[in-house]
Amino acid sequence: MPDPSDLTPEMPAAAQGAILAELRPSPPRRVLGVAILAALGGTLVWLALAFPPAAFGWLLVLLALGVSALWLAVRMWQVSGASLVLTREVLRDGSGMVLARVEDIRAVNRGVFAFKPAGGFTLSLRQSGPRGWAPGLWWRLGRSVGVGGVTHRHEARYMAEVLDELIKPR
């Protein structure tokens, strides 16, 4: 998977506009998410090495899953340190990478049965963008952008309400 910073060019500082809402990771959720992934990865690797299955293929599967979970824990720690920022023009991460342009947003889905990250919301876009994922913070697949996971619920709710108000006049 490509690095999310390679997906969309950064915006110049002058074009970023005034910040309407900011969504930061919750430190306890961030630590808990990384700890759970690291524990899962460590357990799978330990299980594969301490009690190797009879079939060599299953040993490789356990090792691959364990190493993948450990890699995901490291990746989640790296990317979940950033925040998401909403301006009148764009939703972007702290480094300036654009996740969605406000003019391209069709709907904000945050209901109980919506397919969304924990404590977050999903944006339905008019056109698809490149796939990307910052574990615990956001994901983008086709015409959908999911925001949330290790973020504060009340900040995510506020950002979703501001986005609703921005797209309502259309």
Side-chain angles (χ1 to χ4, degrees):
M1 179 178 300
D3 184 36
S5 60
D6 297 335
L7 297 176
T8 306
E10 295 182 10
M11 294 183 61
Q16 293 173 353
I19 296 173
L20 301 177
E22 186 172 5
L23 185 57
R24 292 177 302 260
S26 164
R29 282 180 172 220
R30 181 180 182 211
V31 169
L32 185 64
V34 169
I36 288 172
L37 283 172
L40 173 66
T43 302
L44 289 172
V45 170
W46 173 79
L47 185 63
L49 298 177
F51 305 103
F56 184 70
W58 284 112
L59 176 68
L60 291 179
V61 168
L62 282 174
L63 286 173
L65 288 174
V67 170
S68 296
L70 290 171
W71 173 82
L72 190 59
V74 170
R75 183 80 177 122
M76 183 179 200
W77 184 258
Q78 291 171 342
V79 300
S80 64
S83 61
L84 299 179
V85 175
L86 175 67
T87 65
R88 288 199 175 277
E89 295 82 27
V90 297
L91 173 63
R92 60 178 169 84
D93 71 0
S95 68
M97 188 186 73
V98 176
L99 303 179
R101 299 195 178 282
V102 173
E103 63 197 27
D104 292 337
I105 299 173
R106 283 188 314 167
V108 179
N109 305 314
R110 55 189 171 126
V112 175
F113 299 111
F115 178 67
K116 61 183 175 63
F121 56 92
T122 304
L123 303 174
S124 298
L125 304 177
R126 297 184 193 285
Q127 53 188 340
S128 24
R131 287 180 290 181
W133 183 34
L137 198 55
W138 63 270
W139 53 262
R140 181 173 42 210
L141 185 63
R143 294 182 179 184
S144 297
V145 175
V147 175
V150 297
T151 57
H152 293 281
R153 290 180 190 269
H154 63 279
E155 288 180 1
R157 186 179 316 126
Y158 176 73
M159 184 177 278
E161 289 172 0
V162 170
L163 276 166
D164 263 341
E165 291 300 317
L166 286 175
I167 67 172
K168 192 179 282 187
R170 288 188 258 144

